[in-house]
Amino acid sequence: MKKLSDPVNTLKGVGIKTQSALAKLGIDDINDLLTYFPFRYSDFHVKNLNNIIDGEKVTLRGKISGIPIVNYFGRRRSTLRFKLLVNKNNVVVTFFNQPWLKKQLIPGNEILVYGRFNTNRLSLSGIKILSHQVSNQMAAIYPSNKNIRSNTIKKLVQEAYQEYHQLIFDYVPEWLIKKYRLEHEEEVIHDMHFPDNQKEALLARRTAKFNEFFLYQMKLQLMKIDHQTHNGIRIKYNRSKINDFIKQLPFKLTNAQKKVVQEIDLDLTRPVQMDRLLQGDVGSGKTIVAAIAMYATIMSGYQVALMVPTEILAEQHANNLANLFKNLPIRIGLLTGSTKTTARNELLPRLANGNIDLIIGTHALIQDPVKYHRLGLAVIDEQHRFGVNQRKALRKKGHNPNVLAMTATPIPRTLAITSYGDMDVSIINEMPRGRKPVLTSWIRSKQFKDALPIILKQLKKGEQIYVVTPLVEASEAIDMRNAENIYQQFKSYFGSQFKVGLLHGRMKDEEKNQIMNDFKQRKIQILVSTTVIEVGVDVSNATMMIIYNADHFGLAQLHQLRGRVGRGSAQSYCLLIADPKNKLGEKRMQVMVDTNNGFIVSQKDLELRGPGDLMGHEQSGLPEFKVGDPVSDVVILNVAQQEAIGIIKQPDWQTQPVNSNLKLKINQDSTHDILD
Ligand code: ADP
Ligand code: MG
C-alpha cells in the first residue's frame, strides 16, 4: 500500500544517485518531496494533449466549439457541459455545480480551462476558467544543488503528486481552516507547486506558512509540557574549582561572560531542567562559557554532549576543549559521520558505560546506536543550524538533561521566545577586551590588483588570510572550479614566498581536517576556501578575510564569515569583492562597510529586503522553516502559536476526533512517536 512516508526511490527513475542528491536537500520520502516548495515561478505554458497523464490536473487552451448546456439535478446540483476544440481534438469539459460560468462561455472564443483530464474519454472535469491575462500555468523553480537540477525535482514532484495526492490529508483542524480562511492541504501542495498565477501561489504560501508554524508550535509546546512535567538534574559541584579554572585561563572573562556564567550556574544548581539560549555575536566568546558549564556538569558525575553542524567545527572544538581541559581528569571523545568503524566501536561502549565524560560531534551524536550513561548537559552550538526534531533527539538521549543552545544570530528576544518556545535567553553583548573592530572595505573586481600590496603587507607581518570564493547557487561543482581558479591565482601571486591551501566541500573530511590543522599551525598562510569555513572556525592569527562575489551572500552570512577574523588583538581586515548590478546591491555592501555589529547588520538586511522576498528565511539565520520567515511573518507565527497553545491546553485534545489527523502528523514527523 502506498504511504506518504514511502522513500523517494519508489518513484520512477529515482536511482541511488538521485536518491542521495535528494537526501542532501533533506528529501527522503514522498512527503518531504511534496513539501519541498519552489522559491519562485516562471515561464507560463499550456499542456499539449499528447503529454497529459490520465487524471492529471492540467490547463488547456482551446476554442469553445459548441453551445454550453446546463442540466439541473434537484435544486442545488448541476452540470455545465461544453466542447472545447484543442488542436483539432474536441474535449468535453464539464463543470459541476457552477452554472453561472455559462455567461463567460461564448462559442467561438478561445479560453483557458484548468481541470482534471481523462485521457480515455478525452474529457476534462473543470475546476476553473482562467483569464487570458494570467496566461496559464507557471513553472516552479526549486532550490537545487550540484547533483540535481530544479527541473528534475519538478518532474519528481509532479510524479509524486500524481501518484500520492489522494493520500494528502488535512492535519490543521477544520475549524482553524475556516477561522483563518486557509486552504486545504491538497490545494496548498498543488498550488505551491503548480499555481496558475501569482495570486494562487501566494495564497497557498500563506497557508503553507501557517501550517508550518502551527505544526512547529505544536511540537514546541509539547516539548515544553514535557520539560515541565519532569524534574531536571541538580548539578552539585565545587564552586572553588570552577573559580580556579577561570583564574588559570589566558584571559579575563568579560562582564557579559561573567553574567551569563552566573545565570547558567543558577540554572544548574536548581532541580529544574535548564533550557537556555545563549546569544552572542561572532567572536564574543560563547565557547568558554559553555566549557565552564561542561566542567561543572562533569565534576558532578554527569556526561556532556556538544553537538555542532559541521565536522570541521567538531574537530576544532575537540582540539580546543582538550587543550582547555588538559590539566583536568576529563575524558573526551569525538564522533562524526567520518569517524572510522573501529574508532566508533571503541568509542560507543565507553560512552554507554560512562568512560567518556565529554563527547563532541555532529548530528552523528543523535543517531540510534549512540547511548549515553548519564547525560547531564547537551550543548548545541550554532543552534540555528539544527531543527526542533534534532534538538529534541539530543535531549531524549538523557533523562531531562540541561540544554544550552548557542547562536550568533541576533534574534529579538520576543522572536526568540516565539520561535524557541520557553527557552531562557542569555546574551553576551560585549566583545573581549582589546578586540579591534574588523575594518571592512568593498572593491569592485577590476580594482583587485590595487589590494595586492595590502595583502602582502599582512603576510609579511606573519599573519594569515582567508579567501572565500564565490557562492554559485547553481552547483557545487562550479563552486569548486571557482575555488580552484582563485587558488591558482593566489599561488601565482604569493606562492613563491608563502604557502597557499585549498579547502572545499568535495574534499574528504580527513583532507579537510589536515588543511585546517596546517592553517592553525601556520604551515599555510593563505587559505582559499568555499563557505565550508562559514561557522565557528577560530584561528586568531588570521587577520584578513577576502570574500569574492560578496554580493551573492546574505548579509548575515557575510557577517558570520567576517567573524572568522578579528579574534586576536591585531587589527583585522575584511575585503569584499563585488560588482553589484543595482543600487540595492551597493547598499548591502555599504552596510557591511559601515557596521560591525551583527544586530545592526541583520536589521539592515531586513529593511533592505523587500516583503516579497521568498528567499528571506534562508538568510535570516533561522533556516528551520521552509516557507515561513519568523521575522517578516511574525504575525502568522504569533497566531499559529496562540492556536497551538489553545489546543494543547485542552486536557482531552489528544482524544478528540477533530485532532486525530493532527496527532498523526506530529508523530509522522518525528523519528519517535511523541504522542501515544
Ligand atoms: P564565538 O562566540 O563566536 O563562538 P569563541 O568562543 O570561538 O567565539 O571565541 C572567540 C575567541 O575569543 C577565542 O579564541 C577565545 O579563546 C577568545 N576569547 C573568549 N573569551 C575571551 C575573553 N574574555 N578575552 C579574550 N579572549 C577571549
Ligand atoms: Mg562559536
Side-chain angles (χ1 to χ4, degrees):
M1 219 181 54
K2 282 184 192 171
K3 290 196 303 291
L4 287 171
S5 58
D6 287 347
V8 279
N9 65 2
T10 46
L11 295 174
K12 282 195 295 282
V14 179
I16 291 172
K17 247 178 102 185
T18 310
Q19 189 174 12
S20 81
L22 289 170
K24 286 225 170 76
L25 298 172
I27 304 170
D28 297 316
D29 61 25
I30 299 295
N31 186 54
D32 297 335
L33 187 60
L34 289 175
T35 53
Y36 191 76
F37 294 132
F39 65 94
R40 68 186 178 85
Y41 309 88
S42 67
D43 194 49
F44 307 99
H45 69 271
V46 176
K47 272 264 171 164
N48 186 311
L49 280 189
N50 301 323
N51 300 336
I52 302 177
I53 309 164
D54 189 42
E56 195 181 350
K57 286 184 183 169
V58 292
T59 303
L60 298 181
R61 185 200 296 277
K63 214 174 239 176
I64 300 171
S65 58
I67 295 169
I69 294 166
V70 178
N71 282 309
Y72 287 92
F73 308 95
R75 218 183 299 160
R76 285 208 214 110
R77 284 145 49 111
S78 70
T79 58
L80 164 64
R81 209 168 255 140
F82 61 94
K83 281 191 186 140
L84 190 70
L85 191 63
V86 184
N87 294 337
K88 298 183 185 150
N89 292 298
N90 262 318
V91 176
V92 177
V93 182
T94 311
F95 277 92
F96 293 99
N97 309 324
Q98 299 176 63
W100 57 87
L101 289 179
K102 189 178 172 191
K103 286 199 299 285
Q104 302 176 33
L105 302 169
I106 296 155
N109 275 7
E110 201 187 56
I111 59 162
L112 290 168
V113 199
Y114 174 65
R116 195 186 292 278
F117 195 72
N118 183 316
T119 45
N120 294 326
R121 292 203 214 119
L122 219 60
S123 67
L124 187 82
S125 168
I127 294 172
K128 66 172 74 170
I129 293 171
L130 306 176
S131 78
H132 273 287
Q133 293 95 305
V134 289
S135 179
N136 30 32
Q137 237 177 352
M138 304 190 296
I141 314 285
Y142 295 89
S144 52
N145 67 14
K146 60 173 176 182
N147 301 312
I148 193 158
R149 290 179 325 135
S150 170
N151 258 336
T152 314
I153 298 174
K154 189 172 143 195
K155 275 204 205 93
L156 293 173
V157 170
Q158 263 159 359
E159 193 186 330
Y161 183 80
Q162 208 60 55
E163 299 282 324
Y164 287 88
H165 69 93
Q166 297 95 333
L167 297 180
I168 297 173
F169 62 90
D170 285 316
Y171 51 87
V172 174
E174 188 64 31
W175 61 270
L176 273 179
I177 294 181
K178 290 225 169 69
K179 182 169 172 185
Y180 295 108
R181 299 186 193 186
L182 302 173
E183 290 176 357
H184 290 274
E185 188 67 1
E186 192 186 339
E187 193 180 359
V188 173
I189 303 275
H190 179 274
D191 289 356
M192 285 294 284
H193 294 293
F194 326 112
D196 289 317
N197 51 55
Q198 203 64 40
K199 193 174 161 214
E200 219 171 75
L202 283 175
L203 281 176
R205 196 166 284 272
R206 172 180 172 270
T207 300
K209 284 175 178 178
F210 180 91
N211 291 359
E212 183 176 38
F213 287 143
F214 175 69
L215 204 56
Y216 178 84
Q217 287 295 337
M218 284 299 297
K219 291 182 207 162
L220 208 58
Q221 299 305 325
L222 287 168
M223 212 148 93
K224 180 170 167 178
I225 289 178
D226 198 42
H227 301 177
Q228 287 167 347
T229 48
H230 295 103
N231 285 329
I233 295 164
R234 177 186 241 141
I235 302 286
K236 294 200 192 83
Y237 57 92
N238 185 335
R239 220 177 244 108
S240 74
K241 279 194 177 173
I242 295 281
N243 288 335
D244 291 345
F245 175 69
I246 294 174
K247 266 191 218 127
Q248 56 82 49
L249 291 173
F251 46 74
K252 278 176 76 182
L253 293 184
T254 61
N255 288 331
Q257 284 171 320
K258 282 186 200 152
K259 194 181 105 241
V260 176
V261 167
Q262 269 168 18
E263 287 168 347
I264 293 173
D265 176 65
L266 264 180
D267 279 355
L268 292 181
T269 46
R270 281 185 310 161
V272 292
Q273 187 175 15
M274 173 167 84
D275 197 14
R276 191 166 282 282
L277 179 70
L278 172 54
Q279 225 180 288
D281 207 347
V282 280
S284 63
K286 297 183 287 292
T287 316
I288 187 66
V289 170
I292 293 168
M294 291 174 189
Y295 181 32
T297 304
I298 293 166
M299 206 193 302
S300 54
Y302 286 94
Q303 289 174 307
V304 175
L306 167 59
M307 184 163 74
V308 302
T310 67
E311 301 211 356
I312 287 182
L313 199 48
E315 187 89 15
Q316 173 186 288
H317 272 313
N319 289 334
N320 285 351
L321 289 166
N323 188 35
L324 211 51
F325 293 144
K326 63 175 179 278
N327 299 321
L328 300 170
I330 292 178
R331 296 158 298 180
I332 301 179
L334 174 68
L335 181 66
T336 67
S338 61
T339 302
K340 295 249 163 49
T341 317
T342 41
R344 214 182 140 83
N345 288 344
E346 191 254 346
L347 186 68
L348 292 187
R350 289 175 62 209
L351 188 62
N353 63 28
N355 284 321
I356 292 275
D357 305 303
L358 168 58
I359 182 96
I360 297 157
T362 53
H363 46 258
L365 293 184
I366 52 177
Q367 272 145 16
D368 250 354
V370 184
K371 301 262 181 320
Y372 296 78
H373 180 58
R374 287 175 89 197
L375 183 61
L377 172 66
V379 181
I380 303 166
D381 195 16
E382 309 294 343
Q383 95 101 35
H384 57 278
R385 292 289 192 96
F386 293 100
V388 66
N389 289 338
Q390 289 167 313
R391 295 201 308 252
K392 189 181 167 75
L394 184 57
R395 237 179 253 271
K396 286 283 163 198
K397 291 282 180 185
H399 296 282
N400 315 310
N402 292 305
V403 174
L404 180 65
M406 308 196 283
T407 184
T409 306
I411 320 154
R413 193 177 281 258
T414 47
L415 184 61
I417 291 164
T418 2
S419 45
Y420 297 118
D422 62 336
M423 285 184 119
D424 297 309
V425 181
S426 285
I427 297 176
I428 301 183
N429 54 1
E430 178 186 5
M431 284 290 175
R433 270 166 288 254
R435 287 282 169 79
K436 298 189 182 74
V438 178
L439 287 176
T440 302
S441 39
W442 160 43
I443 58 169
R444 295 202 176 254
S445 49
K446 62 171 190 276
Q447 302 168 288
F448 180 64
K449 285 250 154 83
D450 303 342
L452 289 174
I454 307 165
I455 299 172
L456 189 64
K457 200 175 126 208
Q458 289 303 103
L459 289 168
K460 285 205 164 139
K461 277 194 278 181
E463 292 169 12
Q464 290 160 285
I465 296 181
Y466 293 103
V467 180
V468 173
T469 62
L471 182 80
V472 182
E473 269 162 73
S475 112
E476 212 177 287
I478 299 179
D479 282 356
M480 189 185 71
R481 251 200 336 269
N482 280 323
E484 265 160 9
N485 286 340
I486 289 169
Y487 167 68
Q488 292 303 341
Q489 256 181 48
F490 271 80
K491 256 174 63 168
S492 73
Y493 292 139
F494 303 107
S496 59
Q497 300 177 63
F498 303 99
K499 183 109 199 302
V500 186
L502 174 66
L503 191 71
H504 58 72
R506 283 204 166 175
M507 286 174 159
K508 290 224 174 65
D509 289 296
E510 272 166 61
E511 225 178 324
K512 282 190 220 161
N513 290 332
Q514 183 61 49
I515 302 271
M516 251 352 272
N517 282 332
D518 286 355
F519 189 62
K520 246 173 247 174
Q521 290 165 17
R522 307 189 188 180
K523 289 185 198 156
I524 290 174
Q525 283 76 47
I526 302 174
L527 181 62
V528 178
S529 161
T530 56
T531 51
V532 289
I533 56 144
E534 180 185 344
V535 289
V537 171
D538 184 38
V539 178
S540 59
N541 188 54
T543 56
M544 189 165 201
M545 166 64 70
I546 300 172
I547 305 173
Y548 277 79
N549 272 36
D551 52 332
H552 284 210
F553 293 90
L555 294 191
Q557 204 180 1
L558 286 177
H559 185 66
Q560 273 278 358
L561 283 169
R562 175 169 64 182
R564 298 309 113 222
V565 297
R567 301 190 147 237
S569 52
Q571 178 62 55
S572 288
Y573 302 89
C574 175
L575 183 63
L576 306 173
I577 304 172
D579 303 301
K581 300 214 166 38
N582 55 30
K583 278 267 173 308
L584 179 67
E586 291 173 6
K587 273 192 195 147
R588 292 175 76 247
M589 292 303 103
Q590 200 53 43
V591 169
M592 296 307 296
V593 173
D594 290 345
T595 181
N596 234 316
N597 178 321
F599 199 81
I600 297 176
V601 168
S602 75
Q603 230 163 10
K604 290 280 176 197
D605 195 16
L606 277 178
E607 285 168 21
L608 291 179
R609 266 194 272 144
D613 189 347
L614 301 179
M615 290 286 275
H617 64 279
E618 273 188 15
Q619 303 189 353
S620 72
L622 296 163
E624 184 146 347
F625 299 104
K626 288 183 184 172
V627 272
D629 179 340
V631 178
S632 57
D633 302 320
V634 68
V635 178
I636 305 180
L637 177 59
N638 283 333
V639 169
Q641 185 182 35
Q642 286 320 308
E643 296 297 354
I645 291 173
I647 289 175
I648 288 174
K649 261 193 194 147
Q650 303 162 23
D652 62 339
W653 77 271
Q654 288 196 49
T655 51
Q656 289 173 27
V658 287
N659 296 325
S660 61
N661 278 353
L662 178 58
K663 224 176 106 175
L664 185 69
K665 181 73 179 172
I666 290 170
N667 278 337
Q668 269 181 3
D669 273 16
S670 317
T671 25
H672 309 288
D673 277 10
I674 299 184
L675 305 168
D676 309 324

